[in-house]
Amino acid sequence: MTNAVKTPEQIAKMRIAGRLAAEVLEMIGEYVVPGVTTEELDRRCHDYIVNVQQAIPACLGYRGFPKSICTSVNEVICHGIPSEAKVLKKGDIINIDVTVIKDGWYGDTSKMYFVGKPAAHAERLVKVTQECLYKAIEIVRPGTTLGDIGHVIQTHAEKNYYSVVKDFCGHGIGDVFHEDPQVLHYGRPGTGQVLEEGMTFTIEPMINAGKPGSRVLRDEWTAVTVDRRLSAQWEHTMAVTSDGVEILTARKEESF
Ligand code: MF3
Ligand code: CO
Ligand code: CO
């Protein structure tokens, strides 16, 4: 089985790591502008995590990943690698995914940013994807199943004529980056593992404007939509409480 159930003391440490990860997303927002490279965004996040937060960027060196954050632009679903060659332009949408380790515990979160003014269709995809995450969070409490969570996300995405990426999922998290359970973003109500107080995991729906298929580029990381249409993603790390959920990576702009 799983070691996803944490003690209050362990959750207190995850609360700190989660807050630091959220603060990186808050810090980087003003730099997401036309003309910036994803390399510069990576460098700013890296330096902030290491020098200001005195924490560790979990992605750097993870299974050979070469950078400190993932930067996934437009048709990139997830795991985009920051590079000097990738210059953001007006109308792009970008997901920045940050995971920090503090005192041995992990916080993992991502959000979407607009580069300049987005097209209406892009703005709508980003909004519906965030709604998918929020609708899932709303039902998290002891007794909810993982299938319930997947179902809420899939229903909202498909009601809006979008598709759920099936090739990547959320995950348990703690003093390990990725642990059981797998948190699928699709499913059937009442199926799968039953949530218990103290479980900690991420929900991180990836929603495509077109077909759900993904393909990994030759860099062995960057996952793109097969049809090259847009994809969006939002992620939080959370803990199940006695009667609901605590979002460990909440940002100031959010109210849970
Ligand atoms: N942060 C991603 C997640 O949500 C994982 C990134 S792994 C990396 O699980 F190696 F690509 F950084
Ligand atoms: Co994650
Ligand atoms: Co992440």
Side-chain angles (χ1 to χ4, degrees):
M1 249 287 273
T2 145
N3 54 349
V5 173
K6 309 299 189 297
T7 66
E9 294 72 25
Q10 292 172 326
I11 291 173
K13 291 186 175 179
M14 292 188 67
R15 194 174 286 125
I16 292 168
R19 192 184 63 232
L20 294 178
E23 286 173 356
V24 177
L25 293 182
E26 291 172 340
M27 177 280 297
I28 202 64
E30 67 179 284
Y31 302 104
V32 183
V33 293
V36 77
T37 64
T38 52
E39 176 84 22
E40 177 178 339
L41 298 176
D42 177 72
R43 180 182 51 75
R44 287 189 184 278
C45 290
H46 173 274
D47 291 355
Y48 192 77
I49 294 167
V50 171
N51 300 326
V52 178
Q53 299 184 330
Q54 300 190 298
I56 298 168
C59 293
L60 185 59
Y62 176 76
R63 297 180 180 229
F65 191 80
K67 298 291 175 176
S68 296
I69 59 173
C70 296
T71 50
S72 302
V73 180
N74 296 342
E75 75 281 4
V76 179
I77 295 169
C78 63
H79 303 163
I81 304 175
S83 92
E84 204 58 72
K86 185 65 191 175
V87 182
L88 297 184
K89 59 181 194 306
K90 281 184 202 167
D92 284 344
I93 61 171
I94 177 175
N95 174 279
I96 299 181
D97 192 336
V98 173
T99 308
V100 307
I101 312 169
K102 184 70 172 181
D103 198 14
W105 292 81
Y106 286 70
D108 183 8
T109 185
S110 79
K111 71 169 275 188
M112 298 297 300
Y113 302 81
F114 298 120
V115 185
K117 189 177 155 50
H121 69 98
E123 190 169 19
R124 184 171 166 280
L125 173 67
V126 167
K127 175 170 164 281
V128 169
T129 304
Q130 187 177 37
E131 289 166 359
C132 285
L133 173 59
Y134 286 174
K135 283 175 182 289
I137 285 171
E138 262 175 45
I139 66 165
V140 174
R141 68 179 69 87
T144 296
T145 70
L146 289 176
D148 294 335
I149 290 173
H151 180 73
V152 160
I153 293 167
Q154 182 174 21
T155 300
H156 190 60
E158 293 178 355
K159 196 178 78 190
N160 284 281
Y161 307 102
Y162 296 143
S163 61
V164 174
V165 174
K166 312 291 189 308
D167 302 332
F168 301 93
C169 59
H171 49 91
I173 183 169
D175 58 356
V176 177
F177 197 163
H178 298 106
E179 62 184 26
D180 283 344
Q182 288 194 24
V183 180
L184 304 183
H185 302 120
Y186 59 94
R188 296 172 57 82
T191 65
Q193 196 174 333
V194 180
L195 301 185
E196 293 171 51
E197 181 176 358
M199 287 179 66
T200 56
F201 55 87
T202 72
I203 303 177
E204 48 184 295
M206 285 145 273
I207 306 297
N208 290 354
K211 296 208 158 29
S214 74
R215 189 185 142 233
V216 175
L217 300 185
R218 295 182 65 166
D219 63 19
E220 296 184 353
W221 280 104
T222 310
V224 299
T225 56
V226 168
D227 61 13
R228 301 293 165 130
R229 292 182 65 189
L230 292 180
S231 186
Q233 179 179 28
W234 294 80
E235 175 177 25
H236 273 310
T237 297
M238 63 204 75
V240 181
T241 64
S242 62
D243 63 350
V245 62
E246 177 180 350
I247 303 303
L248 302 176
T249 49
R251 297 180 302 281
K252 286 200 284 286
E253 71 203 21
E254 296 177 302
S255 45
F256 288 108

